[in-house]
Amino acid sequence: MSFRRTPVIVAIGFAAACLPALAQQPAATMDVGAATAPGKAVAAQTIKTSAKIVSLDPATRTITLKRQDGKVSTVVASDELRNFDQLKVGDTVKAEYVQALALDLKKGGGGKAEVSSSEGMSRSQPGQKPGGMAARQVTVLADVVSVDAKKKTVTLKGPAGNMVDLTVDDPEQLKNIKKGDQVQALYTESLAIKVEPAAK
């Protein structure tokens, strides 16, 4: 299942431009976690990274960043970025990107397969250093149409009729899932950017 990037994530501008330039090993740290309980599973990933501003061009809104590994990247901040004039050479740009997926088995089904989403955003106030946060949640309720114990797969049918095969390695979890059940998936992503002034 893939999720396209929505305007709320792109709207921060600066964040969307900076993250790909920054989030590469060894300049970034990544934390990954997962947990399961009967009929439930959760997985999450967090990427944290930072870089120093080494040059600025206000005329073209170009920002040159030096990562922790010494590599230099150049990004152009969109007009959506507030307070560009508050950026200074030597400031540190910090980014945190989180993705999480929670699955919840609904025994016996009965609900209508559907998808819903919500999103929100906050940006720095005028006069502050640029930054902000954007978040999005997508909830999908899908029908279990088959369970293959030998292949350890569960086939789900989504609201648009699309079929997705999930691999379930835990035999206890797989035993608990039957045709006619439903699975609710909650996908969350968030991106936070803040700029810290250079140490004096």
Side-chain angles (χ1 to χ4, degrees), residues 11-47:
I12 291 179
F14 182 50
C18 289
L19 193 64
L22 301 180
Q24 300 175 27
Q25 294 289 353
T29 61
M30 182 182 296
D31 295 320
V32 178
T36 60
K40 297 180 185 299
V42 178
Q45 162 181 288
T46 302
I47 299 172

Side-chain angles (χ1 to χ4, degrees), residues 1 9 16 21 27 56-57 70 74 102 117-118 123 128 145 158 177 198:
M1 186 176 298
I9 297 294
L56 294 162
D57 184 346
T74 301
S117 64
S118 62
R123 292 192 291 166
Q128 296 178 337
V145 293
I177 305 169

Side-chain angles (χ1 to χ4, degrees), residues 3-10 16 19-20 97 99 136 189 191:
F3 295 91
R4 64 183 181 84
R5 193 167 291 281
T6 61
V8 71
I9 297 294
V10 176
L19 193 64
Y97 179 66
Q99 285 182 303
R136 180 172 71 121
E189 67 176 342
L191 176 61

Side-chain angles (χ1 to χ4, degrees), residues 69-91:
D69 62 359
K71 291 187 180 177
V72 175
S73 300
T74 301
V75 295
V76 177
S78 74
D79 292 335
E80 309 253 345
L81 170 69
R82 284 184 179 162
N83 308 327
F84 184 93
D85 60 334
Q86 295 296 318
L87 294 173
K88 307 291 181 204
V89 171
D91 287 351

